[in-house]
Structure formats: C-alpha cells, structure tokens
Amino acid sequence: MAARQPRFNQAVLIDTTPLPESIPKVEEVGASSAPLMSASYFIGARCKAYNDDYMMCKTEAHGRGEFECMKEGRKVTRCAASVIDDITKNCLQEFRNHWECLEDNNQQLWQCRKWEWNLNGCVFQKLGLEKKIPGAPEHETPVHLRRRQIYSQNEKGVIT
Amino acid sequence: MSQFNTRERNLPARGYRPGYYLLGMFAIMGYGWYKYIKGVRELNELGREKMWSRIHLIPMLQAENDRDQVRRYWADQDREQELMGKKTKIYHSDRFVRPTYSITPTNISK
C-alpha cells in the first residue's frame, strides 16, 4: 500500500506560535547538511568561543539549559550564520562546487578534495579562517592536505 | 616402489629451496600488512576529520532545536492558561522535559 497518500486532518501539524516579544529575534541558519558540512571547520574556527560557552552553559544548567542558555544559543546561531553569510558573499562559486560534490558523493569529504582546496584557499585569503583538525598527529601531513587520497574513487578527489 | 621415489633414484628436487618460498611468502605478506596499516591510519584520520566537522556543528544545531522546543513549550503553557485558567506543573522537577506527545492547536496559528 505504498502508493496510498498519507492523509492528515490538518494541513500543518506543527505549532507555529512564535516566541514571545520579550525574546530577541534571531534568524535561523537554514542551510542543509552538505553546505553545513562544507562550512563546518570555518564555523568552528570563528565561533569556537561561542560554541564552547554555549555547551558549558548547557552542562552547568543541569537540565534547564533550554531556558537558561537561550542568550548563548542566539550568539551561537548568529555567529554560524555570519560565517555562512561571509562564505556565500566572498567564495560562492567555490563553496557551491564543494557542497554539490559532497551531495553527489555521499558526503564523503575525501571524494572532494580538489574543490575543498579551492574553497579553503579562498576562505583563508578573504576571511582568514583556516581548517585545522584538532588532535591530528603532528609529524605527518594532515589528511585533508594529502596529495593522494587513497580512498577516493574519482578524479576529483586527487589532484591530477 | 622405488621407481617413484626421487631420492632413491638420485634425481634433483624440483624448484627452489624451501626457504626461498618461505621468504617469498613473508615478502608478500609484509607488503599486504604495509598497505593495510597505511589504510587503517588514513581511515583513523578521516574519521577524526568527520568527527570534528560534526563537533563544530553541534552547538549550532542544538541551539536551534532548543529554541524551537522552548517556543513550543511556552505556546503550550499559554494555551493551557487560556483553556484551563492555570498553568500546571506535571513533573516534580524544574528541568525541561521533552514532551512525549506534541499537542497542536486546532487552528493553524498565525
């Protein structure tokens, strides 16, 4: 019976009541998973302080973080949105190439190194944000900079 | 019987000395291990990369979800005030509890 259409007795089954006026408005990020993944290290680079602040607030609130950390949460969202905004303003083509590649390749980062390098270069030049993987072994090349990606299936993963 | 036995007939044994075959086996196996360890280390690093990419995103996603939950909770409380005349506490705790059932308004709220 997979062909049967689901029937709901209401058009929208969600509560759309907005937050009260006393809470400052914040625009949600609204990006889907592939663009977020593509931008994640830049979000981490710029917003680390806000992110850590928010997570610490949640830990220390002992289950009431949903109410008590709304201010920190707004900062986190604004910061992440600002990163996405700056990337789309300055490096739109590189960003789009990379996340569309991720979308086409099961979101496996190692399939899209060529586009990633272009994006990283552009973002570092224009915004000064750098991709760094914490905890990676120091004596070897970081995995995202290796010329040969041994798990890559396609030409786009390795530099030709 | 002795016509099948090479030793009794003083014929040379076929092929190389057994030690060379053993060495060859170790060489092939060593190459395999080398490639395998290289692959495992690469996988570890790729895993670390993916994990940190998610760690950087978690606060943002969590903040968005929390805001949504609080919005729904306060909307529920307001609706309860309107219908029942008071706001009740259903748990003996101040913590935020994610509702098991989400109650939706009869009319789509603007």
Side-chain angles (χ1 to χ4, degrees):
Chain A
M1 300 300 277
R4 193 162 73 181
Q5 290 295 312
R7 277 188 298 174
F8 297 112
N9 55 4
Q10 270 186 299
V12 184
L13 276 175
I14 53 164
D15 189 353
T16 51
T17 319
L19 277 167
E21 289 298 318
S22 56
I23 305 290
K25 295 272 175 288
V26 59
E27 185 107 0
E28 300 295 354
V29 175
S32 63
S33 58
L36 280 180
M37 192 180 199
S38 170
S40 62
Y41 275 92
F42 308 126
I43 292 175
R46 183 184 281 180
C47 308
K48 188 170 188 308
Y50 297 109
N51 287 356
D52 289 353
D53 204 28
Y54 178 66
M55 292 320 259
M56 213 158 112
C57 174
K58 289 266 296 181
T59 314
E60 285 169 1
H62 292 297
R64 285 191 55 78
E66 277 81 351
F67 304 112
E68 286 167 11
C69 301
M70 289 189 85
K71 189 175 156 215
E72 284 80 0
R74 284 192 293 276
K75 285 182 189 167
V76 165
T77 305
R78 287 207 190 94
C79 182
S82 83
V83 175
I84 302 263
D85 228 44
D86 281 352
I87 296 175
T88 47
K89 261 182 211 142
N90 291 302
C91 306
L92 182 60
Q93 197 51 51
E94 287 87 352
F95 185 43
R96 189 171 284 158
N97 282 344
H98 185 222
W99 73 254
E100 280 177 358
C101 174
L102 286 177
E103 199 86 281
D104 292 342
N105 284 291
N106 215 1
Q107 304 204 352
Q108 291 169 329
L109 286 165
W110 61 90
Q111 311 277 15
C112 304
R113 293 299 182 200
K114 194 175 164 190
W115 306 123
E116 191 189 317
W117 291 339
N118 288 342
L119 176 64
N120 287 357
C122 176
V123 169
F124 184 68
Q125 216 173 19
K126 301 257 175 75
L127 309 175
L129 301 175
E130 201 182 351
K131 171 169 177 173
K132 264 192 189 138
I133 306 173
E138 275 149 28
H139 55 275
E140 53 189 63
T141 325
V143 71
H144 63 286
L145 297 176
R146 288 179 192 165
R147 309 297 283 181
R148 184 166 154 62
Q149 298 286 322
I150 56 178
Y151 286 99
S152 173
Q153 300 164 1
N154 48 18
E155 299 271 322
K156 279 179 279 181
V158 286
I159 197 121
T160 41
Chain B
M1 292 304 133
S2 64
Q3 62 195 347
F4 299 115
N5 195 327
T6 49
R7 183 188 283 269
E8 280 183 23
R9 286 190 292 152
N10 289 326
L11 288 175
R14 209 162 54 86
Y16 301 105
R17 269 161 48 186
Y20 289 142
Y21 288 106
L22 197 67
L23 273 181
M25 186 203 75
F26 276 120
I28 291 167
M29 195 182 71
Y31 178 71
W33 273 101
Y34 168 74
K35 294 298 263 189
Y36 169 70
I37 289 169
K38 223 172 145 81
V40 168
R41 289 192 176 154
E42 177 108 352
L43 270 189
N44 289 346
E45 291 308 309
L46 289 169
R48 194 198 307 278
E49 187 187 22
K50 186 168 83 176
M51 208 38 90
W52 274 100
S53 137
R54 287 178 186 178
I55 289 171
H56 289 321
L57 290 176
I58 281 171
M60 186 217 98
L61 298 169
Q62 185 74 54
E64 183 172 339
N65 189 31
D66 282 359
R67 216 173 299 120
D68 195 47
Q69 291 292 329
V70 169
R71 177 184 68 80
R72 284 162 193 253
Y73 176 74
W74 282 346
D76 271 355
Q77 292 278 301
D78 286 350
R79 208 174 304 115
E80 192 175 332
Q81 175 77 38
E82 198 180 308
L83 295 171
M84 310 285 286
K86 61 176 179 188
K87 293 176 183 175
T88 47
K89 250 175 72 176
I90 50 172
Y91 296 107
H92 183 61
S93 154
D94 280 338
R95 281 187 289 166
F96 178 81
V97 182
R98 273 180 84 106
T100 315
Y101 303 105
S102 59
I103 302 147
T104 51
T106 337
N107 303 310
I108 300 160
S109 36
K110 298 287 180 300

